[in-house]
Amino acid sequence: MVTYLSRIPGDPIYANLSMDKGAISAYYQLLDPLDPTTIRPEDLVALHRQRTIDRMRGQDMVLCLIDETKINYNRLASCDGLDTIGRNQTSSEAQRMRLHASVPVTEKRFPLGVIRCGF
């Protein structure tokens, strides 16, 4: 896919006429949303998490930084399942989601990966 797409940067996928219909179909299947009943978010990051743990084991000392970031979605027209940040002067509510991440770092502050990330 990268080879095909690099020939037509910024153009639609079908602009590359040398690409066959099967390849175009495979490309769009790759971009389709995942079926949540077959693939869980933790499955997608399992290998990264394991590699992070392996890097941690190679260190004498690791500091695990924990961060909570509030992502503001107030500009989006409609989102379900978000928390309310608060109200402004006009009493309209600001919508947000909290992202919690745990990032292990070495003594010299070098990040080793992400050990946990959730909402």
Side-chain angles (χ1 to χ4, degrees):
M1 285 293 131
V2 172
T3 301
Y4 282 122
L5 294 175
S6 66
R7 295 180 192 153
I8 54 165
D11 288 339
I13 186 72
Y14 52 80
N16 186 343
L17 298 178
S18 67
M19 196 168 181
D20 61 50
K21 288 183 181 182
I24 291 172
S25 176
Y27 174 74
Y28 284 114
Q29 286 177 4
L30 180 68
L31 297 180
D32 277 344
L34 299 174
D35 180 358
T37 62
T38 59
I39 298 178
R40 301 170 305 161
E42 54 269 19
D43 296 336
L44 297 174
V45 296
L47 183 60
H48 173 77
R49 186 174 191 281
Q50 185 56 52
R51 296 286 192 263
T52 301
I53 291 169
D54 293 344
R55 286 189 289 275
M56 291 170 64
R57 287 187 177 131
Q59 301 298 315
D60 291 331
M61 182 182 295
V62 173
L63 176 64
C64 200
L65 306 176
I66 299 173
D67 177 58
E68 176 186 282
T69 300
K70 296 172 185 165
I71 304 169
N72 189 334
Y73 287 98
N74 206 37
R75 295 179 184 235
L76 297 179
S78 176
C79 288
D80 294 330
L82 299 177
D83 293 333
T84 299
I85 295 174
R87 299 180 191 279
N88 63 16
Q89 307 89 308
T90 63
S91 295
S92 63
E93 294 181 347
Q95 299 294 303
R96 64 141 185 238
M97 181 171 22
R98 294 179 188 192
L99 173 66
H100 299 270
S102 299
V103 180
V105 297
T106 66
E107 291 180 84
K108 295 188 180 195
R109 301 181 186 144
F110 183 79
L112 299 171
V114 177
I115 197 71
R116 182 186 172 280
C117 190
F119 298 101

